[in-house]
């Protein structure tokens, strides 16, 4: 089954199209909308019964632990002559336990994940990239110079990867080569996942695949079912056109399916296809993806089996999704279309960064009440009330998300996005290190970038039991989505990881190129 949004690829790629004064995210110290705060508190209150009922059970158990035999004998004598009280009390207990069990969401565990690591022959150093672009004959001198400036300012390193079809002159952009790229990436990640987890493919009950710009028939999910001969009753889904945030959307879909289907495994595959989506025109707003997007993909194994808690790496805590597609500007800010010469590409609007900032502010305002300590919530709510009700001239209190999370995986869409999030969320350099190094080593791998970042944190040995991780990604539409995970133990990097042979070289110093206006 294919679910298509037709919204183009990522929005976060357009990080260098505007001069500095116009491309910064909105300052989060400005006012926030009360309705989004209410939404976050609505999520909190929705689980109020659980929060109240569990302490009640503990209080009752403590009370009974302090009673002796004489007390119990006295209660028994009293209840012998009050059968109505016994039945009422029993019914209340049964009802309470039934409601608690039926409404309690099943925990979703991340058993393991794997990221695709291309062969060295697919590396695209800057000089090779520019020479190849020149030799194709599709770009004029102005476009070539534009791409050169983007590369220098992008934050990408010299070891990112492009698909094999793009190494030829002219590039072999066809359905055959696009399928070959998809198979190489998806099967490469899945082979590593199955090898690391010793999971038999037949055990998979749910399969979710997301890829924005390449949606053939049969679908990518069908290609996986065919390759690994998955069982006939598998619940398979193929998400298309949902941009770089589709990885979190796919996780959310798998989570919901795991609430319905008991004792099963779900596999989420996130990738993007470059072969048929390289832009060969001269419209500058459509050239940026050529410079930033690179080959990559991930495969994630989820489980709702209680027996998997012991070997699982993480537990899914929250998923918060923000969709701004109802707004016309947001809907068209990342738009796949043809230029005046009839060449297809993804056009990036000048309003992109402002729209991204608005979506991010909405998302974190909703997420805050779910994850922040009560002290931060009270400070935030107090300043909000003073501003909204008493019209006090005070700056809104921006909560310290470093108190809620130990690690951050910000979608590696480009240097400017990471810079602005670091500034507005008041993060430290170590908090955005995984994002910067992923961008440098692998480029913008679209929806799978947050998994390369998590792999970096694990390879550095920084993930400890109880640590909380925030994955945040942007996508066309426009969407901003967050996933929160909790480490179940001290997590070690899995074998054959993407950073296995180079983690000791990182972090590297990424040179800061002077910002220039690009016309």
């Amino acid at each position: 089954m294919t679910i298509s949004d037709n919204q183009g690829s990522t929005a976060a790629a357009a990080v260098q199209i505007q001069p500095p004064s116009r491309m910064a995210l909105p300052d989060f110290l400005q006012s926030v909308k009360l309705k989004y705060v209410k939404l976050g508190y609505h999520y909190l209150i929705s689980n109020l019964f659980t929060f109240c009922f569990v302490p009640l059970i503990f209080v009752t158990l403590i009370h009974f632990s302090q009673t002796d035999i004489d007390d119990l004998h006295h209660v028994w004598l009293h209840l012998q002559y009050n059968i109505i009280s016994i039945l009422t009390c029993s019914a209340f207990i049964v009802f309470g336990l039934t409601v608690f069990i039926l409404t309690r969401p099943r925990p979703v565990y991340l058993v393991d994940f794997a990221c695709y690591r291309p062969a060295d022959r697919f590396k695209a150093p800057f000089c090779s990239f520019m020479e190849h672009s020149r030799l194709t004959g599709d770009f004029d001198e102005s476009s070539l110079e534009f791409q050169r400036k983007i590369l220098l300012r992008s934050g990408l390193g010299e070891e990112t990867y492009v698909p094999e079809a793009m190494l030829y002159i002219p590039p072999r952009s066809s359905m055959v080569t696009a399928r070959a790229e998809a198979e190489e990436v998806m099967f490469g990640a899945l082979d590593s996942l199955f090898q690391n987890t010793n999971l038999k493919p037949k055990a998979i009950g749910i399969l979710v695949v997301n890829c924005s710009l390449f949606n053939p028939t049969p679908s990518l999910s069908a290609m996986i079912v065919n390759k690994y001969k998955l069982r006939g009753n598998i619940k398979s889904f193929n998400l298309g056109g949902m941009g770089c945030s589709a990885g979190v959307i796919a996780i959310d879909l798998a989570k919901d399916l795991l609430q319905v289907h008991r004792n099963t495994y779900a596999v989420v595959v996130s990738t993007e296809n470059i072969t048929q989506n390289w832009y060969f025109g001269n419209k500058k707003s459509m050239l940026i993806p050529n410079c930033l997007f690179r080959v990559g993909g991930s495969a994630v194994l989820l489980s709702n089996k209680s027996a998997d808690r012991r070997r699982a790496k993480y537990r899914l805590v929250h998923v918060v999704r923000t969709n701004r597609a109802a707004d016309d500007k947001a809907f068209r800010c990342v738009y796949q279309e043809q230029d005046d010469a009839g060449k297809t590409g993804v056009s990036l609007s000048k309003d992109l960064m402002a729209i991204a900032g608005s979506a991010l502010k909405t998302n974190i305002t909703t997420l805050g009440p779910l994850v922040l300590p009560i002290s931060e919530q009270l400070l935030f709510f107090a300043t909000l009330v003073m501003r909204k009700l008493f019209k006090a001239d005070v700056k809104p209190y921006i909560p310290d998300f470093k108190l809620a999370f130990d690690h951050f995986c910000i979608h590696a869409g480009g240097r400017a996005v990471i810079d602005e999030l670091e500034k507005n969320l008041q993060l430290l350099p170590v908090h955005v290190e995984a994002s910067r190094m992923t961008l440098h080593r692998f480029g913008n791998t679209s929806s799978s970038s947050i998994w390369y970042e998590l792999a970096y944190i694990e390879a550095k040995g920084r993930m400890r039991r109880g640590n909380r991780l925030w994955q945040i990604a942007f996508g066309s539409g426009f969407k901003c989505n967050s996933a929160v995970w909790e480490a179940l133990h001290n997590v070690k990097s899995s074998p054959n990881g993407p950073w296995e042979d180079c983690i000791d070289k990182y972090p590297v110093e990424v040179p800061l190129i002077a910002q220039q206006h690009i016309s």
Side-chain angles (χ1 to χ4, degrees):
M1 179 171 70
T2 299
I3 304 174
S4 182
D5 206 14
N6 195 26
Q7 298 170 20
S9 185
T10 182
V15 297
Q16 310 293 346
I17 191 169
Q18 295 298 319
S21 62
R22 297 177 60 187
M23 74 176 184
L25 290 172
D27 188 352
F28 293 169
L29 291 177
Q30 302 302 316
S31 62
V32 296
K33 295 183 179 180
L34 185 61
K35 66 178 180 179
Y36 298 124
V37 181
K38 290 180 179 178
L39 182 58
Y41 280 97
H42 169 71
Y43 291 154
L44 184 65
I45 297 301
S46 298
N47 297 304
L48 189 60
F49 179 82
T50 300
F51 296 149
C52 295
F53 189 73
V54 172
L56 181 62
I57 293 177
F58 281 109
V59 170
T60 304
L61 292 175
I62 293 174
H63 177 73
F64 275 108
S65 67
Q66 296 174 346
T67 59
D68 54 25
I69 297 178
D70 292 335
D71 293 331
L72 295 175
H73 181 66
H74 178 73
V75 171
W76 172 250
L77 292 176
H78 175 73
L79 293 177
Q80 275 184 316
Y81 302 100
N82 198 345
I83 190 65
I84 296 178
S85 297
I86 296 177
L87 294 176
T88 302
C89 183
S90 300
F92 177 77
I93 294 175
V94 171
F95 174 76
L97 289 175
T98 301
V99 171
F100 174 73
I101 293 173
L102 293 179
T103 59
R104 181 187 61 179
R106 296 185 180 91
V108 174
Y109 303 113
L110 192 161
V111 179
D112 205 351
F113 68 97
C115 297
Y116 172 66
R117 170 73 178 271
D120 288 345
R121 68 179 184 275
F122 299 139
K123 288 183 178 179
F126 288 178
C127 60
S128 299
F129 178 93
M130 290 306 304
E131 181 64 17
H132 185 276
S133 297
R134 187 181 304 276
L135 292 175
T136 61
D138 293 299
F139 307 106
D140 58 30
E141 287 301 321
S142 175
S143 296
L144 290 170
E145 178 62 15
F146 179 85
Q147 292 181 78
R148 186 189 68 82
K149 289 181 179 179
I150 292 294
L151 283 174
L152 291 176
R153 295 162 46 181
S154 64
L156 273 68
E158 298 279 357
E159 296 186 306
T160 59
Y161 304 92
V162 295
E164 183 176 10
M166 307 312 298
L167 299 177
Y168 295 92
I169 304 288
R172 297 179 179 178
S173 180
S174 67
M175 179 64 73
V176 173
T177 54
R179 284 184 181 273
E181 179 193 347
E183 292 174 353
E184 175 72 18
V185 175
M186 295 190 304
F187 299 164
L190 286 168
D191 287 345
S192 295
L193 181 68
F194 294 148
Q195 180 180 350
N196 293 340
T197 59
N198 294 318
L199 180 72
K200 295 181 179 179
K202 289 284 188 181
I204 300 171
I206 299 167
L207 173 64
V208 183
V209 179
N210 69 268
C211 182
S212 291
L213 295 175
F214 182 60
N215 294 283
T217 298
S219 66
L220 299 180
S221 59
M223 291 166 60
I224 294 174
V225 173
N226 177 260
K227 164 69 175 180
Y228 296 98
K229 308 306 177 187
L230 304 184
R231 63 199 200 194
N233 64 345
I234 189 170
K235 307 296 186 294
S236 64
F237 300 84
N238 201 95
L239 306 181
M242 307 192 88
C244 292
S245 67
V248 178
I249 296 174
I251 291 291
D252 191 36
L253 175 58
K255 178 204 71 174
D256 291 343
L257 292 168
L258 287 171
Q259 298 303 312
V260 178
H261 303 280
R262 296 176 178 270
N263 297 317
T264 191
Y265 290 107
V267 169
V268 174
V269 178
S270 299
T271 186
E272 190 53 87
N273 193 281
I274 296 176
T275 297
Q276 278 198 314
N277 295 288
W278 200 267
Y279 176 60
F280 294 101
N282 291 291
K283 187 176 180 180
K284 291 183 173 58
S285 64
M286 301 170 75
L287 280 170
I288 295 175
N290 288 9
C291 302
L292 297 183
F293 278 87
R294 296 294 184 264
V295 170
S298 63
V300 181
L301 176 62
L302 304 175
S303 172
N304 59 8
K305 299 182 179 183
S306 57
D308 282 322
R309 177 183 173 86
R310 182 172 299 179
R311 68 164 179 157
K313 289 184 173 183
Y314 306 96
R315 178 179 65 88
L316 182 60
V317 182
H318 300 293
V319 175
V320 174
R321 293 167 54 181
T322 300
N323 193 325
R324 304 299 301 273
D327 179 80
D328 290 340
K329 285 187 176 180
F331 177 73
R332 293 190 64 91
C333 72
V334 180
Y335 204 77
Q336 187 179 25
E337 60 183 358
Q338 291 181 324
D339 63 13
D340 295 338
K343 297 182 178 181
T344 302
V346 177
S347 178
L348 305 174
S349 166
K350 295 179 180 180
D351 300 321
L352 174 60
M353 293 304 289
I355 292 169
S358 176
L360 173 64
K361 185 166 63 175
T362 300
N363 189 268
I364 65 175
T365 303
T366 304
L367 180 67
L370 300 176
V371 298
L372 289 167
I374 190 64
S375 58
E376 290 294 295
Q377 295 191 44
L378 290 175
L379 287 171
F380 174 76
F381 188 72
T383 56
L384 187 66
V385 169
M386 292 177 64
R387 288 176 57 86
K388 297 294 183 179
L389 297 183
F390 301 103
K391 307 300 181 181
D393 186 19
V394 295
K395 289 184 177 180
Y397 179 74
I398 301 302
D400 186 359
F401 280 90
K402 298 189 294 294
L403 298 176
F405 303 110
D406 303 282
H407 307 282
F408 298 79
C409 290
I410 301 167
H411 166 56
R415 170 185 275 168
V417 171
I418 300 172
D419 288 346
E420 289 300 323
L421 283 176
E422 179 183 10
K423 173 186 175 183
N424 281 284
L425 295 180
Q426 302 172 7
L427 303 179
L428 301 175
V430 68
H431 293 136
V432 295
E433 180 183 312
S435 299
R436 291 193 189 281
M437 297 306 104
T438 295
L439 180 65
H440 181 270
R441 179 63 184 84
F442 296 100
N444 181 351
T445 61
S446 190
S447 56
S448 64
S449 68
I450 54 177
W451 298 107
Y452 285 87
E453 293 163 18
L454 181 53
Y456 179 89
I457 296 171
E458 291 183 358
K460 283 293 184 181
R462 296 173 181 172
M463 190 64 70
R464 295 289 181 263
R465 180 178 181 179
N467 281 181
R468 282 201 167 193
L469 163 75
W470 183 13
Q471 291 179 320
I472 184 165
F474 305 92
S476 57
F478 190 87
K479 296 178 284 294
C480 176
N481 300 317
S482 295
V484 179
W485 304 87
E486 180 183 2
L488 297 178
H489 51 78
N490 296 344
V491 179
K492 296 181 180 179
S493 181
S494 300
N496 303 314
W499 300 91
E500 193 171 58
D501 66 342
C502 61
I503 190 63
D504 293 336
K505 299 188 296 185
Y506 286 89
V508 298
E509 189 69 27
V510 180
L512 296 175
I513 305 298
Q515 295 292 323
Q516 308 171 43
H517 175 72
I518 299 180
S519 58

